[in-house]
């Protein structure tokens, strides 16, 4: 499995018992969706390695207590602490309406209520204080803050993302 075909699920943060159980900090608003998984991919030396789950249950809200097959003691569990976990993109719950995953809007046409078509979404940058939608407008980069008030409609069928940006915001980049 390639990392590009997966989404980040969380990180193994600590051991739970001497039998090799581990606690995973899930990166989700809905941890209960991941309580009954059969397996996950663990990133080991930049490769994704499948680990099969014998049992799991939620532990203190956003932590998942997991027992992996072939991890039977503290020493084997120690080797996994700090590792990142991934699942295939196909397992992401489907979102509807104006809720979306960042990766799914890449390639969508950017449309503004006042400006019309103004480019193609190429990325969502999360390294700023506020996520920014990066749009390519004939070689010029436009950055639109990811603010709910700016989002009018996410049209998956036509692959368009409609904005209502403040006057002058797009013009700053052109």
């Amino acid at each position: 499995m390639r990392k590009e075909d997966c989404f980040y699920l969380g990180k193994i943060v600590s051991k739970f018992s001497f039998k090799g159980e581990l606690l995973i900090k899930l990166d989700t608003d809905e941890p209960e969706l991941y309580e009954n998984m059969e397996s996950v991919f663990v990133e080991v030396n930049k490769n994704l390695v499948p680990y099969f789950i014998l049992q799991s249950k939620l532990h203190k809200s956003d932590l998942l207590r997991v027992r992996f097959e072939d991890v039977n003691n503290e020493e084997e569990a120690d080797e996994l602490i700090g590792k990142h976990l991934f699942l295939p993109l196909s397992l992401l719950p489907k979102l509807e309406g104006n809720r979306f995953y960042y990766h799914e809007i890449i390639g969508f046409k950017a449309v503004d209520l006042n400006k019309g078509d103004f480019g193609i979404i190429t990325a969502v940058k999360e390294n700023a204080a506020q996520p920014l939608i990066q749009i390519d407008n004939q070689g010029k980069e436009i950055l639109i803050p990811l603010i709910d008030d700016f989002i009018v409609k996410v049209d998956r069928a036509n692959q368009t993302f409609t904005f209502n940006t403040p006057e002058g915001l797009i013009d700053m980049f052109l």
Side-chain angles (χ1 to χ4, degrees):
M1 180 68 58
R2 297 176 331 142
K3 197 171 176 181
E4 300 80 42
D5 299 327
C6 295
F7 68 95
Y8 176 76
L9 178 64
K11 180 179 180 179
I12 300 172
V13 291
S14 67
K15 293 182 286 191
F16 185 78
S17 73
F18 64 90
K19 296 179 182 178
E21 288 180 296
L22 293 156
L23 291 177
I24 298 168
K25 172 93 168 99
L26 296 173
D27 183 32
T28 179
D29 295 333
E30 301 175 296
E32 62 279 356
L33 294 177
Y34 302 98
E35 191 171 12
N36 297 311
M37 299 179 293
E38 292 179 11
S39 64
V40 294
F41 289 99
V42 178
E43 186 175 28
V44 179
N45 298 324
K46 298 188 180 184
N47 293 311
L48 295 184
V49 178
Y51 274 76
F52 295 94
I53 297 172
L54 295 175
Q55 67 184 126
S56 66
K57 66 179 179 178
L58 286 176
H59 180 80
K60 296 183 181 176
S61 71
D62 65 345
L63 292 174
L64 186 67
R65 180 176 155 188
V66 172
R67 173 94 193 258
F68 288 126
E69 187 176 285
D70 299 326
V71 177
N72 300 308
N73 57 49
E74 288 185 74
E75 292 77 29
E76 292 170 344
D78 279 336
E79 293 177 21
L80 295 174
I81 293 176
K83 303 285 189 219
H84 295 241
L85 280 74
F86 295 86
L87 285 175
L89 288 172
S90 61
L91 296 180
L92 272 175
K94 298 289 182 222
L95 297 179
E96 296 178 349
N98 287 347
R99 295 180 63 212
F100 59 92
Y101 295 111
Y102 293 168
H103 71 273
E104 88 177 290
I105 62 169
I106 306 304
F108 277 31
K109 182 173 26 175
V111 178
D112 184 73
L113 291 180
N114 300 311
K115 287 281 185 194
D117 295 358
F118 68 100
I120 301 294
I121 297 173
T122 56
V124 177
K125 295 184 171 199
E126 294 184 76
N127 51 355
Q130 165 116 26
L132 300 169
I133 296 179
Q134 180 180 313
I135 298 158
D136 177 54
N137 178 292
Q138 299 176 353
K140 293 181 182 168
E141 180 183 83
I142 298 172
L143 297 172
I144 305 293
L146 190 52
I147 297 173
D148 288 342
D149 291 344
F150 292 0
I151 301 169
V152 175
K153 184 175 184 186
V154 178
D155 184 347
R156 289 168 178 81
N158 296 308
Q159 293 201 327
T160 58
F161 195 109
T162 305
F163 296 90
N164 185 15
T165 61
E167 189 174 328
L169 178 63
I170 296 170
D171 294 330
M172 282 185 350
F173 295 95
L174 301 176

